[in-house]
Amino acid sequence: LEETRRFAVAAERCHVSASAFSQMISRLEEQVGARLFDRDTRNVALTPEGEVFSQGAHRIAAEMDASLSELRDRAQRNVVRVSIAGPPSLAASWLPQQMASFRSDYPGIAMRLHDVVSDRCLEMVARGEVDFGLNAQRGNVLEFEAQQLFNEHLYLICPAGDPLAKSKSVRMKDLRHHEFIHSVRSGSVWQQMLPMVSAAGIRDSGLEVTQFATMSGLIANGFGISVVPQFAVELCRRPGIAVVPVTDTKARRPIYMIKRKHRSLSVAAAEMWKRLAEAGKGLTAAPPRK
């Protein structure tokens, strides 16, 4: 009515009769408690109160249009973001490969990757800072939903001159009396390796590092040995380092995808979750070259 200034034309646009449209305007004015239009037999115009109401109505309509447009983009996986947290070892190679494949199919989706240790990953998922995470810890079953992706084999990293370096494979008990270099305590590798190291009688070197590159530098210079998951092996490679598979039954690190319980992922994040699940099926570790 504001645009056409004529009841008959406005009623036709709204696909109702002129009398029905007039009643709609009257009910609206009754609800807001003010006359919105001045009208006579020839002219229809907004009152001052009608001008105020019109401004608010247009603002609400614009916000609704913007919300609907954003939802359509999300449903069509356009102009949206997927944010993932994962361990540095996976974030160095495997995850970027999967993300690149996803971006090739959905170039409009922005990708975010946070390389964080286990405890920080769970924290980011719990707080909603990321859509989901990859972690060797499932987290609290009351707070997180977890789906296992694959198992990582574990490998001994030792100096190339150590007698263990000549072995085709080792067991944890073979590492007895060696000095062990730990990764950071808030990471899943430390949490998994501590009981295995203690049970095997392996000595603690007193060294604890955050980066795998730092660990390999210490090992190459004779400060001890360590055990790392398969995707961390490439981060440890350097001259003077040897890599040997560990064959204990427990020498596996499970990797899970985790998300907040009872919370739906966005359409784009759900598609990425599905892609990773498919990529993780049947993934096995080929023993890395020494």
Side-chain angles (χ1 to χ4, degrees):
L1 185 57
E2 176 190 357
E3 292 174 357
T4 65
R5 307 284 174 166
R6 297 177 62 186
F7 272 87
V9 177
E12 184 177 351
R13 283 194 185 184
C14 294
H15 308 290
V16 296
S17 66
S19 61
F21 185 81
S22 179
Q23 292 175 15
M24 291 166 60
I25 296 297
S26 296
R27 285 197 298 271
L28 178 60
E29 291 177 324
E30 187 177 322
Q31 287 177 351
V32 301
R35 194 177 67 218
L36 302 178
F37 291 93
D38 286 325
R39 58 265 217 187
D40 56 31
T41 55
R42 293 185 178 181
N43 299 309
V44 176
L46 286 168
T47 64
E49 292 76 15
E51 293 281 1
V52 173
F53 186 87
S54 174
Q55 292 173 9
H58 282 293
R59 183 177 65 253
I60 293 170
E63 291 176 353
M64 179 61 72
D65 286 343
S67 296
L68 290 173
S69 177
E70 181 179 353
L71 287 174
R72 291 190 191 100
D73 285 337
R74 283 178 173 270
Q76 297 170 5
R77 305 179 181 89
N78 294 324
V79 195
V80 71
R81 183 179 69 187
V82 177
S83 184
I84 305 171
S89 55
L90 290 180
S93 179
W94 189 79
L95 261 177
Q97 291 172 4
Q98 311 311 316
M99 292 169 62
S101 174
F102 185 82
R103 185 178 60 179
S104 176
D105 291 335
Y106 304 107
I109 298 179
M111 305 293 295
R112 297 289 183 271
L113 176 58
H114 303 266
D115 57 336
V116 293
V117 295
S118 177
D119 289 355
R120 176 58 179 150
C121 177
L122 291 174
E123 181 182 312
M124 294 184 76
V125 174
R127 292 183 176 181
E129 297 175 20
V130 293
D131 294 297
F132 62 90
L134 272 65
N135 204 346
Q137 307 293 330
R138 296 175 59 98
N140 189 326
V141 295
L142 298 177
E143 189 173 7
F144 302 103
E145 290 182 22
Q147 177 179 331
Q148 187 168 353
L149 268 180
F150 49 75
N151 281 311
E152 284 189 275
H153 293 277
L154 299 183
Y155 293 88
L156 166 70
I157 306 295
C158 67
D162 192 290
L164 293 173
K166 299 177 182 178
S167 305
K168 292 183 177 180
S169 64
V170 296
R171 296 177 61 82
M172 289 298 295
K173 65 180 182 180
D174 299 327
L175 312 185
R176 189 184 303 272
H177 305 312
H178 280 73
E179 293 195 336
F180 195 87
I181 299 174
H182 281 286
S183 58
V184 65
R185 292 171 182 261
S186 56
S188 61
V189 176
W190 182 89
Q191 295 167 11
Q192 181 180 11
M193 292 308 306
L194 183 62
M196 297 175 66
V197 168
S198 299
I202 304 169
R203 295 201 304 264
D204 190 339
S205 68
L207 295 170
E208 181 181 309
V209 299
T210 302
Q211 305 295 330
F212 287 113
T214 305
M215 176 186 289
S216 66
L218 290 169
I219 294 172
N221 285 279
F223 282 91
I225 64 169
S226 195
V227 173
V228 301
Q230 75 182 76
F231 285 109
V233 168
E234 291 304 319
L235 301 179
C236 295
R237 289 196 183 279
R238 67 171 61 212
I241 288 288
V243 178
V244 184
V246 180
T247 58
D248 295 61
T249 304
K250 294 183 178 180
R252 302 286 186 275
R253 182 172 80 149
I255 296 295
Y256 303 94
M257 290 190 297
I258 55 172
K259 67 184 185 71
R260 287 181 292 175
K261 200 159 193 173
H262 308 307
R263 297 291 184 90
S264 297
L265 295 173
S266 68
V267 175
E271 178 65 22
M272 186 64 189
W273 176 288
K274 179 182 175 183
R275 289 286 192 95
L276 292 179
E278 292 174 350
K281 286 181 180 178
L283 184 65
T284 58
R289 301 183 309 275
K290 287 190 178 183

